[in-house]
Amino acid sequence: MSLNKKYSKSILAVLITTVAFAGIYLYIFDKKLDLNGDNANYFMLGKALASGEGYVSINNIHKTPNNHFPPGYPALISAVVSIAGDSIITIKLFNGLLFLATAIALYFLIKKITQKNSTALLVIFLLLLNSHLLRYSTMIMTEIPFLFFSTLAVLSFTMIDFEKPFWRDKWIYIALALLIISFYIRTTGIALIGGIILYLLIQKKWKHAIFIAIAIVILALPWQIRSQKLGGSSYMKQLVMVNPYRPEMGTAGFSDYLNRFGTNVSRYITKEIPSATFSFFKPDYRQPSTASQWFTGILILLLIIYGVWNLPQFKWLILAYLVGTFGILSLWPDVWVGVRFLLPAVPFLLLGIIKGIQNVIEKIIPGKSVQYLLWLPVLLTLPFLPKLKPLHEQAQNKLTANWANYFTLAKWINDNEDHNVVVSCRKPTMFHLYSNSFTTNYIYTNNNQELIDNLIERQVDYVILDQLGYSSTYRYLLPAVQNNQDRFKVVYKLENPDTYLLKLIK
């Protein structure tokens, strides 16, 4: 193949990817802030960094240092805020551009690994139609930024010339920088770091492995030291709980971890791997896994293993990364369900599926004519197309009544109260974005008096009694209010559903 023909194919692939992405993204783009607390936290922390206040929770009256969310993504947000302003839509569009850039980088990475243009394009087609990834590309969350930097890290790693002394190869430094950025965006980036080091050990590249391991430890150390000074990682504290949402259930024991492992592995095989890779599968987590779900999940898993195992190069890198990712996720609290945690691995799962199908085709039909049949997996994209419409409809929908009431109370605080008041509510950072007041949660305890005493200790002025559907409101806050009505005065009430702004009588 001539050099011009080689580059023309790549340029055409990039153009097709860009045009396809632009059309799909504009169709499904959601201007609204997503209704999960994490995206509000990232946005708030990014604004704090941009304003020079440091890595602190600016919604907290004491502006305490944040020790829960890794600083990588807020640092990116702060750069965007400094350049383009603090519009929610701007940050969302930034994530969308990162998704496009990820798709382009993945094209070159997969083409390099498989040495087949068809495989790379098919994976990109499936990515651009994956409703989970599309949804997260319109949210202020870490999934897409992590996917972007981790993809670049793997691509850079494949560029390393192992015949050179490692200190003379620029690509190892580029890969190292991208690895540590990925780690600072999502702590689970340790799975990718471990995968790369394991690959180097398998390939007997001892000096490269030692260099990357030592460098990562040194570069990660500042965050770990800061975390320990602030009381330790909150993620680690959640991991050792039986249920992070029910702290009164205590710390997990050995049998709890065994049960957790079994529950998680079963769920990943039967529900989350099929849904993450083929987003038209919509699992019902309230129902036990069926025989058909086990069959589908095992078939997909076997295709992934078969496809990755037959990669022409870097198969041990991809396998180690996937095994590390699933190893970490299998020990997470089993109340954390959903495909979100799997999304960074989706491109490599799809790579395994597409490569597996193509390998089967090549086994059945030998000869040159098989080259055309390698595009047969494009039929897999057809079931994805109808799933774009729900994303479009979701983007067009207004807020549900319970959330509309919640934000109405936040705006009332913004318009009628001093911004120094403290409001206790279930989603404090989201409330802060609309109230511009200080906000805090409430402690999860069944002791009503202990809860109220803690509100006073936190200098709380108002309490929100919401109907957002979170169990902690009904389990902890509502009984404390009902059993101590003399301590709470109704200031503002909204109906359908009933949502209360209560003043705490101290």
Side-chain angles (χ1 to χ4, degrees):
M1 181 185 294
S2 68
L3 193 61
N4 286 339
K5 189 175 180 181
K6 177 182 176 182
Y7 281 119
S8 64
K9 276 191 173 183
S10 297
I11 292 171
L12 182 60
V14 170
L15 287 174
I16 291 173
T17 300
T18 303
V19 171
F21 167 81
I24 294 169
Y25 196 70
L26 291 174
Y27 181 64
I28 61 95
F29 183 72
D30 191 346
K31 298 179 181 179
K32 302 186 295 295
L33 183 71
D34 190 73
L35 300 179
N36 76 81
D38 285 359
N39 71 153
N41 276 291
Y42 289 123
F43 188 36
M44 178 193 68
L45 289 168
K47 288 175 65 176
L49 287 173
S51 63
E53 297 195 58
Y55 200 62
V56 299
S57 300
I58 54 176
N59 69 301
N60 187 283
I61 191 170
H62 302 297
K63 298 190 177 180
T64 53
N66 191 281
N67 190 35
H68 184 73
F69 298 95
Y73 185 41
L76 292 175
I77 291 175
S78 72
V80 177
V81 168
S82 299
I83 296 169
D86 62 356
S87 164
I88 289 173
I89 293 177
T90 301
I91 309 300
K92 284 171 169 277
L93 290 173
F94 171 68
N95 265 24
L97 289 175
L98 288 184
F99 186 40
L100 171 60
T102 301
I104 293 171
L106 277 167
Y107 166 77
F108 288 103
L109 172 61
I110 294 171
K111 186 178 178 182
K112 181 178 179 65
I113 290 175
T114 63
Q115 300 170 5
K116 284 185 179 178
N117 193 58
S118 61
T119 307
L121 284 174
L122 284 167
V123 172
I124 300 309
F125 289 163
L126 291 177
L127 276 180
L128 293 182
L129 292 172
N130 187 294
S131 62
H132 302 302
L133 288 168
L134 285 171
R135 177 64 183 158
Y136 276 91
S137 72
T138 73
M139 293 163 57
I140 305 175
M141 295 289 282
T142 59
E143 281 68 23
I144 299 301
F146 176 80
L147 187 55
F148 171 69
F149 283 100
S150 61
T151 299
L152 286 185
V154 177
L155 180 59
S156 299
F157 183 79
T158 64
M159 301 290 188
I160 295 173
D161 183 356
F162 290 105
E163 299 303 317
K164 285 184 180 179
F166 71 85
W167 62 85
R168 295 179 58 185
D169 192 338
K170 66 178 180 181
W171 287 108
I172 195 169
Y173 299 106
I174 295 172
L176 177 62
L178 292 164
L179 280 174
I180 198 64
I181 292 172
S182 301
F183 173 77
Y184 273 106
I185 291 175
R186 283 175 71 99
T187 310
T188 51
I190 194 69
L192 176 58
I193 294 169
I196 283 178
I197 292 174
L198 179 58
Y199 172 80
L200 290 170
L201 293 175
I202 291 171
Q203 299 297 317
K204 298 182 180 181
K205 305 298 181 183
W206 314 114
K207 293 180 180 179
H208 289 77
I210 293 170
F211 170 71
I212 288 181
I214 293 175
I216 288 292
V217 169
I218 293 172
L219 293 171
L221 202 56
W223 175 250
Q224 302 307 313
I225 293 173
R226 179 185 183 275
S227 180
Q228 289 304 312
K229 285 184 177 179
L230 293 174
S233 169
S234 55
Y235 275 123
M236 290 305 299
K237 291 177 181 178
Q238 289 179 330
L239 284 176
V240 300
M241 291 181 181
V242 173
N243 184 340
Y245 305 114
R246 300 284 302 276
E248 70 273 11
M249 295 178 70
T251 303
F254 181 71
S255 61
D256 295 308
Y257 282 107
L258 283 179
N259 291 332
R260 182 184 292 183
F261 179 83
T263 300
N264 286 339
V265 169
S266 171
R267 192 182 68 251
Y268 281 124
I269 291 175
T270 61
K271 295 179 179 179
E272 290 177 0
I273 290 178
S275 179
T277 50
F278 298 103
S279 53
F280 47 82
F281 286 117
K282 295 297 180 185
D284 185 350
Y285 291 104
R286 296 168 298 180
Q287 300 296 326
S289 299
T290 63
S292 63
Q293 287 176 322
W294 274 104
F295 176 79
T296 302
I298 291 173
L299 178 62
I300 291 174
L301 188 59
L302 289 175
L303 268 177
I304 292 168
I305 295 171
Y306 179 61
V308 173
W309 186 256
N310 284 282
L311 290 175
Q313 51 186 344
F314 299 107
K315 71 178 179 183
W316 285 110
L317 172 61
I318 305 302
L319 280 172
Y321 178 36
L322 292 177
V323 169
T325 298
F326 284 106
I328 292 171
L329 297 183
S330 67
L331 296 177
W332 283 24
D334 51 16
V335 293
W336 292 350
V337 301
V339 302
R340 172 189 170 190
F341 306 112
L342 273 182
L343 292 183
V346 166
F348 301 108
L349 297 176
L350 289 174
L351 169 60
I353 292 169
I354 297 299
K355 184 62 179 170
I357 293 173
Q358 290 181 331
N359 287 342
V360 170
I361 293 172
E362 288 177 320
K363 291 285 186 183
I364 296 173
I365 308 174
K368 292 185 177 180
S369 60
V370 76
Q371 296 300 318
Y372 300 101
L373 293 175
L374 293 181
W375 287 93
L376 195 61
V378 76
L379 297 175
L380 294 175
T381 64
L382 299 180
F384 285 83
L385 296 174
K387 293 302 175 183
L388 296 181
K389 187 176 181 181
L391 289 179
H392 173 73
E393 292 173 346
Q394 184 176 1
Q396 302 303 311
N397 288 341
K398 295 181 179 179
L399 288 171
T400 55
N402 55 346
W403 280 101
N405 284 357
Y406 185 76
F407 291 133
T408 296
L409 293 183
K411 292 170 185 175
W412 187 91
I413 290 287
N414 182 58
D415 295 338
N416 295 277
E417 273 291 354
D418 188 289
H419 288 172
N420 290 321
V421 299
V422 180
V423 181
S424 177
C425 49
R426 178 58 181 83
K427 288 290 185 180
T429 48
M430 297 191 75
F431 197 88
H432 165 77
L433 291 183
Y434 293 91
S435 69
N436 287 308
S437 65
F438 292 118
T439 57
T440 184
N441 208 326
Y442 42 83
I443 59 171
Y444 292 1
T445 176
N446 292 314
N447 186 318
N448 296 168
Q449 190 57 51
E450 184 181 358
L451 188 147
I452 293 173
D453 289 344
N454 186 261
L455 291 179
I456 294 172
E457 184 181 334
R458 297 188 188 199
Q459 300 174 255
V460 169
D461 300 294
Y462 291 99
V463 171
I464 301 296
L465 201 57
D466 63 68
Q467 294 206 46
L468 300 180
Y470 296 102
S471 60
S472 65
T473 302
Y474 306 103
R475 182 174 290 118
Y476 308 117
L477 182 58
L478 180 59
V481 172
Q482 289 178 327
N483 296 328
N484 298 272
Q485 295 186 31
D486 59 320
R487 303 298 302 272
F488 298 92
K489 177 185 176 183
V490 177
V491 176
Y492 195 2
K493 175 188 176 184
L494 295 169
E495 298 180 344
N496 300 318
D498 291 345
T499 309
Y500 295 86
L501 174 64
L502 307 172
K503 186 170 182 63
L504 175 63
I505 309 301
K506 301 177 183 178

mmCIF file of all heavy atoms in Angstrom, residues 377-412:
data_model
loop_
_atom_site.group_PDB
_atom_site.id
_atom_site.type_symbol
_atom_site.label_atom_id
_atom_site.label_comp_id
_atom_site.label_asym_id
_atom_site.label_seq_id
_atom_site.Cartn_x
_atom_site.Cartn_y
_atom_site.Cartn_z
ATOM 1 N N PRO A 377 -20.125 -7.747 10.680
ATOM 2 C CA PRO A 377 -20.556 -7.258 11.998
ATOM 3 C C PRO A 377 -21.171 -5.859 11.980
ATOM 4 O O PRO A 377 -21.693 -5.412 13.006
ATOM 5 C CB PRO A 377 -19.262 -7.273 12.824
ATOM 6 C CG PRO A 377 -18.412 -8.316 12.181
ATOM 7 C CD PRO A 377 -18.714 -8.202 10.720
ATOM 8 N N VAL A 378 -21.116 -5.155 10.836
ATOM 9 C CA VAL A 378 -21.781 -3.847 10.772
ATOM 10 C C VAL A 378 -23.279 -3.987 11.038
ATOM 11 O O VAL A 378 -23.948 -3.040 11.462
ATOM 12 C CB VAL A 378 -21.528 -3.170 9.394
ATOM 13 C CG1 VAL A 378 -22.382 -3.803 8.309
ATOM 14 C CG2 VAL A 378 -21.787 -1.667 9.489
ATOM 15 N N LEU A 379 -23.816 -5.194 10.818
ATOM 16 C CA LEU A 379 -25.232 -5.441 11.100
ATOM 17 C C LEU A 379 -25.535 -5.281 12.588
ATOM 18 O O LEU A 379 -26.688 -5.034 12.969
ATOM 19 C CB LEU A 379 -25.631 -6.848 10.630
ATOM 20 C CG LEU A 379 -25.530 -7.116 9.120
ATOM 21 C CD1 LEU A 379 -25.833 -8.569 8.820
ATOM 22 C CD2 LEU A 379 -26.479 -6.190 8.349
ATOM 23 N N LEU A 380 -24.491 -5.411 13.418
ATOM 24 C CA LEU A 380 -24.696 -5.235 14.854
ATOM 25 C C LEU A 380 -25.114 -3.816 15.208
ATOM 26 O O LEU A 380 -25.682 -3.574 16.271
ATOM 27 C CB LEU A 380 -23.406 -5.586 15.610
ATOM 28 C CG LEU A 380 -22.946 -7.043 15.575
ATOM 29 C CD1 LEU A 380 -21.585 -7.171 16.265
ATOM 30 C CD2 LEU A 380 -23.961 -7.940 16.254
ATOM 31 N N THR A 381 -24.810 -2.861 14.329
ATOM 32 C CA THR A 381 -25.143 -1.463 14.625
ATOM 33 C C THR A 381 -26.635 -1.180 14.485
ATOM 34 O O THR A 381 -27.132 -0.211 15.053
ATOM 35 C CB THR A 381 -24.365 -0.507 13.692
ATOM 36 O OG1 THR A 381 -24.784 -0.727 12.331
ATOM 37 C CG2 THR A 381 -22.869 -0.732 13.805
ATOM 38 N N LEU A 382 -27.355 -2.015 13.728
ATOM 39 C CA LEU A 382 -28.761 -1.727 13.436
ATOM 40 C C LEU A 382 -29.641 -1.650 14.681
ATOM 41 O O LEU A 382 -30.471 -0.733 14.795
ATOM 42 C CB LEU A 382 -29.311 -2.766 12.448
ATOM 43 C CG LEU A 382 -28.613 -2.807 11.077
ATOM 44 C CD1 LEU A 382 -29.241 -3.873 10.187
ATOM 45 C CD2 LEU A 382 -28.679 -1.433 10.403
ATOM 46 N N PRO A 383 -29.506 -2.582 15.652
ATOM 47 C CA PRO A 383 -30.361 -2.462 16.840
ATOM 48 C C PRO A 383 -30.067 -1.228 17.701
ATOM 49 O O PRO A 383 -30.879 -0.858 18.545
ATOM 50 C CB PRO A 383 -30.048 -3.753 17.630
ATOM 51 C CG PRO A 383 -29.460 -4.688 16.637
ATOM 52 C CD PRO A 383 -28.722 -3.825 15.675
ATOM 53 N N PHE A 384 -28.885 -0.596 17.489
ATOM 54 C CA PHE A 384 -28.549 0.592 18.261
ATOM 55 C C PHE A 384 -29.357 1.809 17.828
ATOM 56 O O PHE A 384 -29.634 2.707 18.631
ATOM 57 C CB PHE A 384 -27.053 0.932 18.113
ATOM 58 C CG PHE A 384 -26.138 0.042 18.892
ATOM 59 C CD1 PHE A 384 -25.744 -1.183 18.384
ATOM 60 C CD2 PHE A 384 -25.660 0.419 20.129
ATOM 61 C CE1 PHE A 384 -24.883 -2.006 19.085
ATOM 62 C CE2 PHE A 384 -24.798 -0.398 20.847
ATOM 63 C CZ PHE A 384 -24.414 -1.613 20.322
ATOM 64 N N LEU A 385 -29.704 1.879 16.552
ATOM 65 C CA LEU A 385 -30.299 3.095 15.995
ATOM 66 C C LEU A 385 -31.581 3.526 16.704
ATOM 67 O O LEU A 385 -31.747 4.715 17.008
ATOM 68 C CB LEU A 385 -30.541 2.910 14.489
ATOM 69 C CG LEU A 385 -29.267 2.709 13.651
ATOM 70 C CD1 LEU A 385 -29.628 2.394 12.205
ATOM 71 C CD2 LEU A 385 -28.395 3.955 13.712
ATOM 72 N N PRO A 386 -32.524 2.606 16.994
ATOM 73 C CA PRO A 386 -33.754 3.048 17.686
ATOM 74 C C PRO A 386 -33.499 3.606 19.080
ATOM 75 O O PRO A 386 -34.342 4.342 19.605
ATOM 76 C CB PRO A 386 -34.591 1.762 17.761
ATOM 77 C CG PRO A 386 -34.051 0.863 16.710
ATOM 78 C CD PRO A 386 -32.593 1.175 16.644
ATOM 79 N N LYS A 387 -32.341 3.286 19.681
ATOM 80 C CA LYS A 387 -32.058 3.748 21.037
ATOM 81 C C LYS A 387 -31.607 5.201 21.087
ATOM 82 O O LYS A 387 -31.460 5.764 22.169
ATOM 83 C CB LYS A 387 -30.988 2.848 21.670
ATOM 84 C CG LYS A 387 -31.470 1.424 21.917
ATOM 85 C CD LYS A 387 -32.702 1.421 22.815
ATOM 86 C CE LYS A 387 -33.288 0.029 22.976
ATOM 87 N NZ LYS A 387 -34.512 0.047 23.796
ATOM 88 N N LEU A 388 -31.387 5.811 19.915
ATOM 89 C CA LEU A 388 -31.042 7.233 19.900
ATOM 90 C C LEU A 388 -32.267 8.101 20.201
ATOM 91 O O LEU A 388 -32.153 9.184 20.775
ATOM 92 C CB LEU A 388 -30.443 7.620 18.545
ATOM 93 C CG LEU A 388 -29.118 6.950 18.167
ATOM 94 C CD1 LEU A 388 -28.645 7.462 16.822
ATOM 95 C CD2 LEU A 388 -28.061 7.186 19.242
ATOM 96 N N LYS A 389 -33.437 7.612 19.829
ATOM 97 C CA LYS A 389 -34.651 8.399 20.037
ATOM 98 C C LYS A 389 -34.944 8.654 21.515
ATOM 99 O O LYS A 389 -35.263 9.797 21.887
ATOM 100 C CB LYS A 389 -35.852 7.718 19.366
ATOM 101 C CG LYS A 389 -37.110 8.570 19.408
ATOM 102 C CD LYS A 389 -38.257 7.920 18.653
ATOM 103 C CE LYS A 389 -39.505 8.809 18.703
ATOM 104 N NZ LYS A 389 -40.646 8.180 17.998
ATOM 105 N N PRO A 390 -34.833 7.638 22.403
ATOM 106 C CA PRO A 390 -35.048 7.921 23.830
ATOM 107 C C PRO A 390 -34.087 8.964 24.391
ATOM 108 O O PRO A 390 -34.472 9.764 25.248
ATOM 109 C CB PRO A 390 -34.842 6.558 24.494
ATOM 110 C CG PRO A 390 -35.165 5.564 23.435
ATOM 111 C CD PRO A 390 -34.691 6.194 22.154
ATOM 112 N N LEU A 391 -32.825 8.966 23.915
ATOM 113 C CA LEU A 391 -31.873 9.983 24.356
ATOM 114 C C LEU A 391 -32.323 11.368 23.899
ATOM 115 O O LEU A 391 -32.217 12.355 24.645
ATOM 116 C CB LEU A 391 -30.480 9.685 23.807
ATOM 117 C CG LEU A 391 -29.730 8.493 24.410
ATOM 118 C CD1 LEU A 391 -28.376 8.339 23.724
ATOM 119 C CD2 LEU A 391 -29.546 8.663 25.902
ATOM 120 N N HIS A 392 -32.816 11.456 22.667
ATOM 121 C CA HIS A 392 -33.327 12.725 22.148
ATOM 122 C C HIS A 392 -34.522 13.197 22.972
ATOM 123 O O HIS A 392 -34.610 14.382 23.338
ATOM 124 C CB HIS A 392 -33.727 12.546 20.681
ATOM 125 C CG HIS A 392 -34.416 13.739 20.090
ATOM 126 N ND1 HIS A 392 -33.749 14.907 19.776
ATOM 127 C CD2 HIS A 392 -35.733 13.955 19.773
ATOM 128 C CE1 HIS A 392 -34.604 15.780 19.277
ATOM 129 N NE2 HIS A 392 -35.806 15.223 19.272
ATOM 130 N N GLU A 393 -35.422 12.277 23.276
ATOM 131 C CA GLU A 393 -36.610 12.637 24.060
ATOM 132 C C GLU A 393 -36.232 13.051 25.476
ATOM 133 O O GLU A 393 -36.805 13.996 26.027
ATOM 134 C CB GLU A 393 -37.584 11.453 24.087
ATOM 135 C CG GLU A 393 -38.210 11.161 22.724
ATOM 136 C CD GLU A 393 -39.037 9.895 22.711
ATOM 137 O OE1 GLU A 393 -38.912 9.101 23.695
ATOM 138 O OE2 GLU A 393 -39.794 9.676 21.741
ATOM 139 N N GLN A 394 -35.267 12.348 26.049
ATOM 140 C CA GLN A 394 -34.803 12.701 27.390
ATOM 141 C C GLN A 394 -34.201 14.101 27.404
ATOM 142 O O GLN A 394 -34.393 14.867 28.361
ATOM 143 C CB GLN A 394 -33.768 11.682 27.874
ATOM 144 C CG GLN A 394 -33.297 11.903 29.301
ATOM 145 C CD GLN A 394 -32.356 10.815 29.769
ATOM 146 O OE1 GLN A 394 -32.029 9.895 29.027
ATOM 147 N NE2 GLN A 394 -31.917 10.899 31.005
ATOM 148 N N ALA A 395 -33.483 14.441 26.337
ATOM 149 C CA ALA A 395 -32.885 15.774 26.240
ATOM 150 C C ALA A 395 -33.946 16.863 26.137
ATOM 151 O O ALA A 395 -33.758 17.980 26.618
ATOM 152 C CB ALA A 395 -31.946 15.833 25.042
ATOM 153 N N GLN A 396 -35.077 16.525 25.515
ATOM 154 C CA GLN A 396 -36.144 17.516 25.316
ATOM 155 C C GLN A 396 -37.071 17.618 26.521
ATOM 156 O O GLN A 396 -37.763 18.622 26.692
ATOM 157 C CB GLN A 396 -36.972 17.144 24.073
ATOM 158 C CG GLN A 396 -36.173 17.042 22.785
ATOM 159 C CD GLN A 396 -35.423 18.321 22.463
ATOM 160 O OE1 GLN A 396 -35.992 19.409 22.496
ATOM 161 N NE2 GLN A 396 -34.136 18.199 22.139
ATOM 162 N N ASN A 397 -37.124 16.578 27.350
ATOM 163 C CA ASN A 397 -38.053 16.568 28.483
ATOM 164 C C ASN A 397 -37.713 17.624 29.524
ATOM 165 O O ASN A 397 -36.544 17.955 29.736
ATOM 166 C CB ASN A 397 -38.056 15.190 29.150
ATOM 167 C CG ASN A 397 -38.740 14.136 28.307
ATOM 168 O OD1 ASN A 397 -39.507 14.461 27.401
ATOM 169 N ND2 ASN A 397 -38.464 12.880 28.591
ATOM 170 N N LYS A 398 -38.746 18.099 30.189
ATOM 171 C CA LYS A 398 -38.551 19.012 31.308
ATOM 172 C C LYS A 398 -38.263 18.204 32.571
ATOM 173 O O LYS A 398 -38.437 17.001 32.615
ATOM 174 C CB LYS A 398 -39.801 19.874 31.505
ATOM 175 C CG LYS A 398 -40.087 20.822 30.348
ATOM 176 C CD LYS A 398 -41.324 21.658 30.634
ATOM 177 C CE LYS A 398 -41.601 22.634 29.483
ATOM 178 N NZ LYS A 398 -42.811 23.451 29.724
ATOM 179 N N LEU A 399 -37.838 18.900 33.612
ATOM 180 C CA LEU A 399 -37.590 18.243 34.887
ATOM 181 C C LEU A 399 -38.884 17.658 35.440
ATOM 182 O O LEU A 399 -39.966 18.218 35.259
ATOM 183 C CB LEU A 399 -37.034 19.252 35.900
ATOM 184 C CG LEU A 399 -35.600 19.730 35.710
ATOM 185 C CD1 LEU A 399 -35.302 20.876 36.661
ATOM 186 C CD2 LEU A 399 -34.620 18.584 35.941
ATOM 187 N N THR A 400 -38.762 16.517 36.125
ATOM 188 C CA THR A 400 -39.929 15.954 36.795
ATOM 189 C C THR A 400 -40.341 16.867 37.953
ATOM 190 O O THR A 400 -39.537 17.676 38.436
ATOM 191 C CB THR A 400 -39.610 14.551 37.337
ATOM 192 O OG1 THR A 400 -38.456 14.631 38.187
ATOM 193 C CG2 THR A 400 -39.342 13.579 36.188
ATOM 194 N N ALA A 401 -41.571 16.716 38.406
ATOM 195 C CA ALA A 401 -42.132 17.633 39.403
ATOM 196 C C ALA A 401 -41.334 17.640 40.708
ATOM 197 O O ALA A 401 -41.160 18.695 41.336
ATOM 198 C CB ALA A 401 -43.589 17.264 39.680
ATOM 199 N N ASN A 402 -40.851 16.467 41.134
ATOM 200 C CA ASN A 402 -40.133 16.422 42.413
ATOM 201 C C ASN A 402 -38.820 17.206 42.346
ATOM 202 O O ASN A 402 -38.471 17.935 43.283
ATOM 203 C CB ASN A 402 -39.885 14.972 42.848
ATOM 204 C CG ASN A 402 -39.165 14.149 41.803
ATOM 205 O OD1 ASN A 402 -39.050 14.538 40.645
ATOM 206 N ND2 ASN A 402 -38.676 12.983 42.192
ATOM 207 N N TRP A 403 -38.110 17.091 41.213
ATOM 208 C CA TRP A 403 -36.874 17.860 41.059
ATOM 209 C C TRP A 403 -37.157 19.340 40.798
ATOM 210 O O TRP A 403 -36.416 20.215 41.271
ATOM 211 C CB TRP A 403 -36.025 17.281 39.931
ATOM 212 C CG TRP A 403 -35.254 16.067 40.345
ATOM 213 C CD1 TRP A 403 -35.559 14.769 40.085
ATOM 214 C CD2 TRP A 403 -34.050 16.054 41.112
ATOM 215 N NE1 TRP A 403 -34.620 13.935 40.639
ATOM 216 C CE2 TRP A 403 -33.678 14.694 41.272
ATOM 217 C CE3 TRP A 403 -33.242 17.039 41.680
ATOM 218 C CZ2 TRP A 403 -32.540 14.304 41.975
ATOM 219 C CZ3 TRP A 403 -32.100 16.655 42.374
ATOM 220 C CH2 TRP A 403 -31.760 15.309 42.516
ATOM 221 N N ALA A 404 -38.208 19.622 40.056
ATOM 222 C CA ALA A 404 -38.580 21.025 39.817
ATOM 223 C C ALA A 404 -38.873 21.721 41.138
ATOM 224 O O ALA A 404 -38.447 22.869 41.359
ATOM 225 C CB ALA A 404 -39.791 21.087 38.886
ATOM 226 N N ASN A 405 -39.595 21.055 42.032
ATOM 227 C CA ASN A 405 -39.877 21.619 43.357
ATOM 228 C C ASN A 405 -38.600 21.830 44.152
ATOM 229 O O ASN A 405 -38.426 22.849 44.835
ATOM 230 C CB ASN A 405 -40.823 20.700 44.136
ATOM 231 C CG ASN A 405 -42.259 20.811 43.664
ATOM 232 O OD1 ASN A 405 -42.586 21.608 42.792
ATOM 233 N ND2 ASN A 405 -43.133 20.011 44.247
ATOM 234 N N TYR A 406 -37.707 20.855 44.074
ATOM 235 C CA TYR A 406 -36.441 20.935 44.808
ATOM 236 C C TYR A 406 -35.639 22.163 44.378
ATOM 237 O O TYR A 406 -35.150 22.936 45.216
ATOM 238 C CB TYR A 406 -35.656 19.649 44.540
ATOM 239 C CG TYR A 406 -34.372 19.503 45.320
ATOM 240 C CD1 TYR A 406 -34.395 19.151 46.663
ATOM 241 C CD2 TYR A 406 -33.131 19.677 44.702
ATOM 242 C CE1 TYR A 406 -33.218 18.983 47.378
ATOM 243 C CE2 TYR A 406 -31.956 19.512 45.409
ATOM 244 C CZ TYR A 406 -32.004 19.160 46.747
ATOM 245 O OH TYR A 406 -30.830 19.004 47.451
ATOM 246 N N PHE A 407 -35.527 22.370 43.071
ATOM 247 C CA PHE A 407 -34.761 23.511 42.576
ATOM 248 C C PHE A 407 -35.506 24.834 42.778
ATOM 249 O O PHE A 407 -34.879 25.887 42.911
ATOM 250 C CB PHE A 407 -34.405 23.305 41.105
ATOM 251 C CG PHE A 407 -33.405 22.213 40.872
ATOM 252 C CD1 PHE A 407 -33.596 21.257 39.884
ATOM 253 C CD2 PHE A 407 -32.261 22.121 41.651
ATOM 254 C CE1 PHE A 407 -32.678 20.246 39.671
ATOM 255 C CE2 PHE A 407 -31.334 21.116 41.453
ATOM 256 C CZ PHE A 407 -31.540 20.167 40.462
ATOM 257 N N THR A 408 -36.841 24.779 42.813
ATOM 258 C CA THR A 408 -37.617 25.993 43.096
ATOM 259 C C THR A 408 -37.306 26.497 44.499
ATOM 260 O O THR A 408 -37.155 27.712 44.724
ATOM 261 C CB THR A 408 -39.125 25.715 42.952
ATOM 262 O OG1 THR A 408 -39.414 25.382 41.598
ATOM 263 C CG2 THR A 408 -39.949 26.940 43.347
ATOM 264 N N LEU A 409 -37.208 25.575 45.462
ATOM 265 C CA LEU A 409 -36.847 25.972 46.825
ATOM 266 C C LEU A 409 -35.430 26.532 46.860
ATOM 267 O O LEU A 409 -35.155 27.491 47.603
ATOM 268 C CB LEU A 409 -36.970 24.782 47.768
ATOM 269 C CG LEU A 409 -38.384 24.245 48.015
ATOM 270 C CD1 LEU A 409 -38.359 23.120 49.037
ATOM 271 C CD2 LEU A 409 -39.324 25.345 48.488
ATOM 272 N N ALA A 410 -34.536 25.964 46.071
ATOM 273 C CA ALA A 410 -33.164 26.477 46.010
ATOM 274 C C ALA A 410 -33.148 27.905 45.472
ATOM 275 O O ALA A 410 -32.462 28.788 46.007
ATOM 276 C CB ALA A 410 -32.304 25.568 45.134
ATOM 277 N N LYS A 411 -33.931 28.146 44.433
ATOM 278 C CA LYS A 411 -33.997 29.500 43.862
ATOM 279 C C LYS A 411 -34.664 30.480 44.830
ATOM 280 O O LYS A 411 -34.322 31.666 44.860
ATOM 281 C CB LYS A 411 -34.746 29.450 42.524
ATOM 282 C CG LYS A 411 -33.977 28.694 41.443
ATOM 283 C CD LYS A 411 -34.822 28.448 40.206
ATOM 284 C CE LYS A 411 -34.079 27.595 39.184
ATOM 285 N NZ LYS A 411 -34.925 27.243 38.017
ATOM 286 N N TRP A 412 -35.611 29.972 45.631
ATOM 287 C CA TRP A 412 -36.255 30.834 46.639
ATOM 288 C C TRP A 412 -35.219 31.287 47.662
ATOM 289 O O TRP A 412 -35.203 32.461 48.058
ATOM 290 C CB TRP A 412 -37.381 30.076 47.337
ATOM 291 C CG TRP A 412 -38.202 30.947 48.258
ATOM 292 C CD1 TRP A 412 -39.333 31.638 47.943
ATOM 293 C CD2 TRP A 412 -37.930 31.227 49.629
ATOM 294 N NE1 TRP A 412 -39.785 32.333 49.032
ATOM 295 C CE2 TRP A 412 -38.940 32.093 50.091
ATOM 296 C CE3 TRP A 412 -36.935 30.831 50.522
ATOM 297 C CZ2 TRP A 412 -38.986 32.576 51.399
ATOM 298 C CZ3 TRP A 412 -36.962 31.314 51.831
ATOM 299 C CH2 TRP A 412 -37.978 32.169 52.258
#
